Amino acid sequence: MTIRTLTRRAALAAVAVTGALVLAACGGDNDSAGGGHTGHGSSATASASAAPSASATAHNAQDVSFAQGMIPHHRQALEMAKLADGRASSARVKDLASRIEKAQDPEIRTMTGWLTSWGEQVPMAGMDHSAHSGMSGMSEMSGMMSEADMTALEKATGKDFDTKFLSMMVDHHEGAVEMATTEKEKGQYGPARTMADAIVTAQNAEIKEMKQLLGTH
Protein backbone atom coordinates (compact mmCIF):
# COMPACT_ATOMS: atom_id res chain seq x y z
CA MET A 1 0.00 0.00 0.00
CA THR A 2 2.81 2.35 0.86
CA ILE A 3 4.62 1.72 -2.40
CA ARG A 4 1.42 2.10 -4.36
CA THR A 5 0.61 5.35 -2.62
CA LEU A 6 4.09 6.72 -3.21
CA THR A 7 3.93 5.73 -6.86
CA ARG A 8 0.56 7.41 -7.28
CA ARG A 9 1.80 10.58 -5.60
CA ALA A 10 4.91 10.63 -7.76
CA ALA A 11 2.81 10.25 -10.89
CA LEU A 12 0.45 13.00 -9.82
CA ALA A 13 3.38 15.28 -9.03
CA ALA A 14 4.88 14.63 -12.44
CA VAL A 15 1.59 15.45 -14.14
CA ALA A 16 1.27 18.64 -12.10
CA VAL A 17 4.80 19.75 -12.97
CA THR A 18 4.25 18.99 -16.64
CA GLY A 19 0.96 20.89 -16.62
CA ALA A 20 2.57 23.87 -14.92
CA LEU A 21 5.35 23.93 -17.47
CA VAL A 22 2.87 23.76 -20.32
CA LEU A 23 0.80 26.57 -18.83
CA ALA A 24 3.92 28.66 -18.27
CA ALA A 25 5.00 28.11 -21.85
CA CYS A 26 1.56 29.01 -23.15
CA GLY A 27 1.52 32.05 -20.92
CA GLY A 28 4.93 33.06 -22.17
CA ASP A 29 3.82 32.67 -25.76
CA ASN A 30 0.72 34.71 -25.10
CA ASP A 31 2.69 37.38 -23.33
CA SER A 32 5.16 37.48 -26.16
CA ALA A 33 2.46 37.51 -28.78
CA GLY A 34 0.39 39.94 -26.81
CA GLY A 35 3.35 42.13 -26.06
CA GLY A 36 4.41 42.07 -29.67
CA HIS A 37 0.87 42.75 -30.85
CA THR A 38 0.43 45.54 -28.37
CA GLY A 39 3.70 47.03 -29.41
CA HIS A 40 2.79 46.90 -33.10
CA GLY A 41 -0.67 48.22 -32.32
CA SER A 42 0.69 51.16 -30.36
CA SER A 43 3.29 51.87 -33.01
CA ALA A 44 0.72 51.60 -35.78
CA THR A 45 -1.73 53.78 -33.89
CA ALA A 46 0.94 56.35 -33.17
CA SER A 47 2.03 56.35 -36.80
CA ALA A 48 -1.55 56.54 -38.03
CA SER A 49 -2.40 59.39 -35.69
CA ALA A 50 0.82 61.24 -36.47
CA ALA A 51 0.37 61.06 -40.22
CA PRO A 52 -3.12 62.64 -40.37
CA SER A 53 -2.07 65.22 -37.79
CA ALA A 54 0.85 66.38 -39.92
CA SER A 55 -1.28 66.27 -43.05
CA ALA A 56 -4.15 68.12 -41.41
CA THR A 57 -1.97 71.08 -40.45
CA ALA A 58 -0.22 71.38 -43.81
CA HIS A 59 -1.21 74.60 -45.56
CA ASN A 60 0.13 76.93 -48.22
CA ALA A 61 0.07 80.64 -49.08
CA GLN A 62 -3.27 80.25 -50.86
CA ASP A 63 -4.90 78.94 -47.70
CA VAL A 64 -3.63 81.98 -45.78
CA SER A 65 -4.81 84.33 -48.52
CA PHE A 66 -8.22 82.66 -48.57
CA ALA A 67 -8.76 83.06 -44.83
CA GLN A 68 -7.36 86.61 -44.70
CA GLY A 69 -9.56 87.65 -47.60
CA MET A 70 -12.74 85.79 -46.71
CA ILE A 71 -12.86 87.07 -43.12
CA PRO A 72 -13.40 90.75 -44.06
CA HIS A 73 -15.56 89.62 -46.99
CA HIS A 74 -17.83 87.72 -44.61
CA ARG A 75 -17.79 90.58 -42.11
CA GLN A 76 -19.20 92.93 -44.71
CA ALA A 77 -21.89 90.39 -45.61
CA LEU A 78 -22.86 90.25 -41.93
CA GLU A 79 -22.97 94.05 -41.77
CA MET A 80 -25.30 94.08 -44.77
CA ALA A 81 -27.45 91.28 -43.36
CA LYS A 82 -27.91 93.04 -40.01
CA LEU A 83 -29.31 96.08 -41.79
CA ALA A 84 -32.25 94.01 -43.04
CA ASP A 85 -33.87 93.88 -39.62
CA GLY A 86 -35.94 97.05 -39.38
CA ARG A 87 -35.37 98.12 -43.00
CA ALA A 88 -36.49 95.26 -45.25
CA SER A 89 -40.16 94.97 -46.18
CA SER A 90 -39.99 91.41 -47.49
CA ALA A 91 -40.15 88.53 -45.03
CA ARG A 92 -38.14 86.45 -47.49
CA VAL A 93 -35.37 89.05 -47.57
CA LYS A 94 -35.29 89.10 -43.76
CA ASP A 95 -35.14 85.31 -43.70
CA LEU A 96 -32.30 85.27 -46.22
CA ALA A 97 -30.38 87.86 -44.19
CA SER A 98 -30.82 85.76 -41.05
CA ARG A 99 -29.52 82.64 -42.82
CA ILE A 100 -26.48 84.54 -44.08
CA GLU A 101 -25.65 85.63 -40.53
CA LYS A 102 -26.02 82.11 -39.14
CA ALA A 103 -23.81 80.61 -41.85
CA GLN A 104 -21.03 83.17 -42.09
CA ASP A 105 -20.44 84.18 -38.48
CA PRO A 106 -19.21 80.69 -37.47
CA GLU A 107 -17.03 80.56 -40.58
CA ILE A 108 -15.34 83.80 -39.54
CA ARG A 109 -14.51 82.28 -36.14
CA THR A 110 -13.19 79.12 -37.77
CA MET A 111 -10.93 80.99 -40.20
CA THR A 112 -9.69 83.23 -37.39
CA GLY A 113 -8.67 80.09 -35.53
CA TRP A 114 -6.74 78.81 -38.57
CA LEU A 115 -4.77 82.02 -38.96
CA THR A 116 -3.99 82.15 -35.25
CA SER A 117 -2.75 78.54 -35.23
CA TRP A 118 -0.60 79.24 -38.30
CA GLY A 119 0.92 82.36 -36.71
CA GLU A 120 -0.55 84.55 -39.46
CA GLN A 121 -2.14 87.98 -39.13
CA VAL A 122 -5.89 88.09 -38.58
CA PRO A 123 -7.61 90.98 -40.44
CA MET A 124 -8.64 93.76 -38.10
CA ALA A 125 -12.32 94.55 -37.69
CA GLY A 126 -13.27 97.46 -39.93
CA MET A 127 -11.33 96.19 -42.94
CA ASP A 128 -14.58 95.19 -44.56
CA HIS A 129 -14.97 97.70 -47.37
CA SER A 130 -13.10 97.80 -50.66
CA ALA A 131 -11.52 101.08 -49.59
CA HIS A 132 -9.60 99.22 -46.90
CA SER A 133 -6.59 97.30 -48.11
CA GLY A 134 -6.59 94.86 -45.18
CA MET A 135 -4.02 92.21 -45.94
CA SER A 136 -1.49 92.42 -48.72
CA GLY A 137 -3.20 91.96 -52.06
CA MET A 138 -6.68 92.17 -50.55
CA SER A 139 -7.49 95.69 -51.77
CA GLU A 140 -9.46 94.43 -54.75
CA MET A 141 -11.44 91.57 -53.29
CA SER A 142 -14.17 90.58 -55.67
CA GLY A 143 -17.70 91.58 -54.74
CA MET A 144 -16.84 93.99 -51.93
CA MET A 145 -19.12 97.02 -51.53
CA SER A 146 -17.70 100.54 -51.36
CA GLU A 147 -18.33 103.00 -48.55
CA ALA A 148 -20.86 104.76 -50.80
CA ASP A 149 -22.67 101.47 -51.46
CA MET A 150 -22.93 100.71 -47.75
CA THR A 151 -24.13 104.24 -46.96
CA ALA A 152 -26.85 103.97 -49.62
CA LEU A 153 -27.97 100.62 -48.21
CA GLU A 154 -28.10 102.03 -44.67
CA LYS A 155 -30.34 104.90 -45.83
CA ALA A 156 -32.73 102.68 -47.82
CA THR A 157 -35.97 101.29 -46.41
CA GLY A 158 -38.87 99.14 -47.56
CA LYS A 159 -38.86 97.79 -51.09
CA ASP A 160 -35.99 100.11 -52.00
CA PHE A 161 -33.89 98.42 -49.35
CA ASP A 162 -34.96 94.97 -50.54
CA THR A 163 -33.88 95.71 -54.10
CA LYS A 164 -30.57 97.28 -53.10
CA PHE A 165 -29.82 94.52 -50.61
CA LEU A 166 -30.53 91.72 -53.08
CA SER A 167 -28.59 93.37 -55.91
CA MET A 168 -25.56 94.05 -53.72
CA MET A 169 -25.62 90.65 -52.08
CA VAL A 170 -25.71 88.90 -55.45
CA ASP A 171 -22.51 90.73 -56.40
CA HIS A 172 -21.06 90.02 -52.96
CA HIS A 173 -21.85 86.31 -53.16
CA GLU A 174 -20.44 86.05 -56.68
CA GLY A 175 -17.19 87.50 -55.36
CA ALA A 176 -17.12 84.97 -52.51
CA VAL A 177 -17.75 82.11 -54.93
CA GLU A 178 -14.85 83.29 -57.07
CA MET A 179 -12.53 83.42 -54.05
CA ALA A 180 -13.70 80.03 -52.81
CA THR A 181 -13.24 78.46 -56.24
CA THR A 182 -9.61 79.63 -56.27
CA GLU A 183 -9.12 78.04 -52.84
CA LYS A 184 -10.57 74.74 -54.06
CA GLU A 185 -8.17 74.73 -57.01
CA LYS A 186 -4.99 75.97 -55.34
CA GLY A 187 -5.37 75.48 -51.57
CA GLN A 188 -3.67 72.71 -49.61
CA TYR A 189 -5.36 72.77 -46.19
CA GLY A 190 -8.17 70.20 -46.16
CA PRO A 191 -10.62 72.05 -43.87
CA ALA A 192 -10.18 75.27 -45.88
CA ARG A 193 -10.91 73.50 -49.15
CA THR A 194 -13.94 71.83 -47.55
CA MET A 195 -15.23 75.21 -46.38
CA ALA A 196 -14.58 76.68 -49.81
CA ASP A 197 -16.63 73.92 -51.40
CA ALA A 198 -19.48 74.57 -48.96
CA ILE A 199 -19.35 78.31 -49.72
CA VAL A 200 -19.56 77.68 -53.46
CA THR A 201 -22.55 75.36 -53.04
CA ALA A 202 -24.47 77.48 -50.51
CA GLN A 203 -23.86 80.87 -52.04
CA ASN A 204 -24.60 79.76 -55.60
CA ALA A 205 -27.96 78.51 -54.30
CA GLU A 206 -28.57 81.84 -52.57
CA ILE A 207 -27.59 83.76 -55.71
CA LYS A 208 -30.26 81.84 -57.60
CA GLU A 209 -32.78 82.58 -54.83
CA MET A 210 -31.94 86.30 -54.77
CA LYS A 211 -32.22 86.66 -58.51
CA GLN A 212 -35.67 85.10 -58.31
CA LEU A 213 -36.63 87.54 -55.56
CA LEU A 214 -35.33 90.45 -57.63
CA GLY A 215 -37.67 89.36 -60.40
CA THR A 216 -40.63 89.92 -58.08
CA HIS A 217 -39.59 93.47 -57.11
Side-chain angles (χ1 to χ4, degrees), residues 11-94:
L12 290 173
V15 170
V17 171
T18 302
L21 290 173
V22 170
L23 289 173
C26 290
D29 288 343
N30 287 339
D31 288 343
S32 176
H37 180 72
T38 301
H40 287 304
S42 299
S43 177
T45 302
S47 298
S49 62
S53 177
S55 175
T57 57
H59 65 281
N60 59 15
Q62 168 55 39
D63 298 317
V64 175
S65 177
F66 170 71
Q68 289 181 334
M70 196 61 79
I71 286 174
H73 204 277
H74 271 16
R75 281 176 180 158
Q76 188 181 66
L78 292 183
E79 184 180 344
M80 294 168 68
K82 288 175 182 177
L83 292 175
D85 186 25
R87 290 179 175 81
S89 63
S90 168
R92 293 184 66 183
V93 169
K94 290 180 180 179

Side-chain angles (χ1 to χ4, degrees), residues 135 156 201:
M135 301 297 100
T201 300

Side-chain angles (χ1 to χ4, degrees), residues 126-144:
M127 293 180 178
D128 49 6
H129 301 318
S130 61
H132 296 285
S133 61
M135 301 297 100
S136 176
M138 291 294 109
S139 59
E140 297 180 358
M141 283 187 292
S142 183
M144 292 291 280

Side-chain angles (χ1 to χ4, degrees), residues 125-177:
M127 293 180 178
D128 49 6
H129 301 318
S130 61
H132 296 285
S133 61
M135 301 297 100
S136 176
M138 291 294 109
S139 59
E140 297 180 358
M141 283 187 292
S142 183
M144 292 291 280
M145 299 297 110
S146 66
E147 293 284 357
D149 291 330
M150 294 302 294
T151 298
L153 187 62
E154 288 172 4
K155 292 180 178 179
T157 58
K159 289 187 176 180
D160 181 41
F161 175 88
D162 295 343
T163 300
K164 281 184 170 62
F165 174 83
L166 292 171
S167 298
M168 291 182 184
M169 196 60 82
V170 165
D171 290 342
H172 205 270
H173 272 27
E174 288 175 344
V177 168

Side-chain angles (χ1 to χ4, degrees), residues 3 28 32 66 108 118 158 171 181 191-192 198 208 217:
I3 295 173
S32 176
F66 170 71
I108 290 173
W118 296 337
D171 290 342
T181 299
K208 181 178 179 180
H217 282 68

